[in-house]
Amino acid sequence: MAAPSAPTHIGNYSIVEQIGTGASSDVYLALEEKKFASVAIKQLRKTCQSEPYRKLMANEVALVGKLEHKNIVRLLSAHLDDQSGPYVVMEYVKGVPLDRHQHGDTLLPVNTVISVVEQVAFALQYIAGQGVVHRDVKPENIILMPNGQAKLTDFGCAIPTGTAGEMVAGSLAYMSPEQLEGQPLDERADIYALGAVLYRLLCGRHTFEADSEFEARIAILNFPISPIVKHRQGLPPALVAVIDRALKKNKDERYADWSEFIRDLGEAAHVIRMSDYDVDLYRGFSMSTQSVLSRFMSTDRDFSRSGFSRSSMPDSFGA
């Protein structure tokens, strides 16, 4: 059943339910009439149908219509002059957006996080080769399917490489300094964003601590990121190094391209796979509990999480 606030029909599609909300649009699960095929429809909200928003959607169609990659949600058709409001029809992907796994008590296993980030990196490498910068890489725009495949979606902020777009757009927590300042962008802006996604999915925190949007902007432009070890212990140095380099404020100090990022992330993944150390030992625990675990581990390297789980922890450890 459609939600009370959702339309019952858009064009030749019957609306099943609303499944997402963006800065300027709503996303619905819909059925194409006669074919009964499931699709996702993204339509500009009535309050966001002015010319700048219409231009952004038209730009999305122009850039994304040519993209075909197994880790990118496909755009099937566009209807920019519909009376109810401009909308695009996309492949419906049954899965979970990764913002469901960006908090301390819902974090995914490290190997799953790396697999997802690797897949998205290949998708972003592909679009870079097509002359496109996504400009809004964040957990909400990555869908994890039950079979482990990841899909990158929402190209509403995408721009051609080497341009800045007509307005600064994207999500502040994942913006590179040059994107925040409205400079022309290349793939290094998306590398920064994916580094911030990797950071968030591993520790459940943003790369900076701020109480307001103003403080966040100051932090992005001027202050180093909060060291990930401050929030998550036990990660291999090789993986921490990948994150640190991807998040360099000076784009010339970041990875020069996706090939370098994918190479180093793959090497870090290999270190993790070959290690007999439980890299998920600290996942989901508070820092005070991680400190207790760390002290225990320093005296007993055979210790494993199976022998020290939340169910057996004394209250004094305060997870």
Side-chain angles (χ1 to χ4, degrees):
M1 294 293 291
S5 60
T8 57
H9 288 79
I10 296 177
N12 295 322
Y13 300 89
S14 298
I15 303 304
V16 178
E17 62 178 337
Q18 184 171 335
I19 57 175
T21 301
S24 60
S25 59
D26 295 317
V27 183
Y28 305 100
L29 170 61
L31 291 175
E32 185 174 1
E33 294 176 0
K34 297 181 180 180
K35 293 183 179 180
F36 298 103
S38 295
V39 296
I41 290 180
K42 182 171 77 168
Q43 184 176 49
L44 289 178
R45 285 194 293 277
K46 290 183 179 180
T47 56
C48 299
Q49 293 186 15
S50 59
E51 192 60 24
Y53 292 107
R54 288 175 177 268
K55 281 186 176 180
L56 279 176
M57 181 166 278
N59 183 62
E60 176 181 6
V61 172
L63 291 176
V64 182
K66 62 184 180 181
L67 301 180
E68 285 193 27
H69 190 278
K70 65 180 181 179
N71 298 117
I72 293 175
V73 174
R74 288 182 296 122
L75 190 151
L76 303 176
S77 63
H79 307 266
L80 302 181
D81 297 317
D82 192 83
Q83 289 185 346
S84 65
Y87 69 92
V88 294
V89 182
M90 303 174 293
E91 169 191 14
Y92 172 61
V93 178
K94 189 173 183 179
V96 177
L98 287 188
D99 58 327
R100 305 264 186 93
H101 296 287
Q102 65 179 9
H103 301 288
D105 58 350
T106 61
L107 299 180
L108 294 165
V110 170
N111 280 321
T112 302
V113 171
I114 290 178
S115 172
V116 167
V117 170
E118 281 183 319
Q119 292 179 65
V120 175
F122 280 116
L124 290 167
Q125 182 183 44
Y126 166 76
I127 73 166
Q130 302 296 310
V132 176
V133 178
H134 187 282
R135 213 169 48 145
D136 199 20
V137 180
K138 59 183 179 180
E140 294 94 319
N141 288 340
I142 301 170
I143 300 173
L144 179 59
M145 299 169 66
N147 65 358
Q149 186 175 17
K151 293 260 191 177
L152 178 66
T153 188
D154 198 346
F155 283 72
C157 295
I159 56 174
T161 299
T163 68
E166 294 188 4
M167 64 180 77
V168 174
S171 299
L172 186 59
Y174 303 93
M175 278 191 191
S176 65
E178 68 269 22
Q179 182 173 342
L180 184 56
E181 292 187 316
Q183 299 176 13
L185 304 179
D186 58 29
E187 61 197 286
R188 289 172 292 181
D190 283 344
I191 288 174
Y192 181 100
L194 191 59
V197 168
L198 181 55
Y199 184 110
R200 181 68 193 260
L201 295 179
L202 288 173
C203 69
R205 300 290 190 94
H206 287 311
T207 59
F208 54 83
E209 297 178 7
D211 295 326
S212 68
E213 183 175 310
F214 175 77
E215 289 184 3
R217 290 174 179 271
I218 295 299
I220 292 169
L221 294 174
N222 299 287
F223 301 147
I225 65 169
S226 179
I228 196 168
V229 294
K230 182 178 178 181
H231 308 297
R232 176 78 180 267
Q233 296 187 22
L235 295 174
L239 182 56
V240 173
V242 171
I243 296 168
D244 287 344
R245 185 174 174 189
L247 289 169
K248 292 293 186 184
K249 295 192 179 298
N250 184 340
K251 63 184 179 182
D252 292 330
E253 296 177 1
R254 271 177 238 149
Y255 289 103
D257 54 40
W258 284 109
S259 295
E260 287 189 2
F261 177 89
I262 291 168
R263 178 201 65 207
D264 282 6
L265 183 62
E267 291 176 357
H270 179 71
V271 169
I272 292 171
R273 286 193 298 267
M274 297 303 292
S275 174
D276 58 359
Y277 175 65
D278 182 5
V279 293
D280 284 308
L281 181 65
Y282 302 99
R283 176 167 58 95
F285 289 124
S286 67
M287 281 306 296
S288 59
T289 302
Q290 289 186 41
S291 296
V292 172
L293 291 170
S294 182
R295 288 196 297 271
F296 194 100
M297 284 294 295
S298 66
T299 59
D300 187 355
R301 298 301 298 177
D302 294 328
F303 178 74
S304 69
R305 188 168 186 162
S306 62
F308 194 83
S309 65
R310 282 187 181 82
S311 61
S312 63
M313 288 175 58
D315 292 338
S316 60
F317 285 153

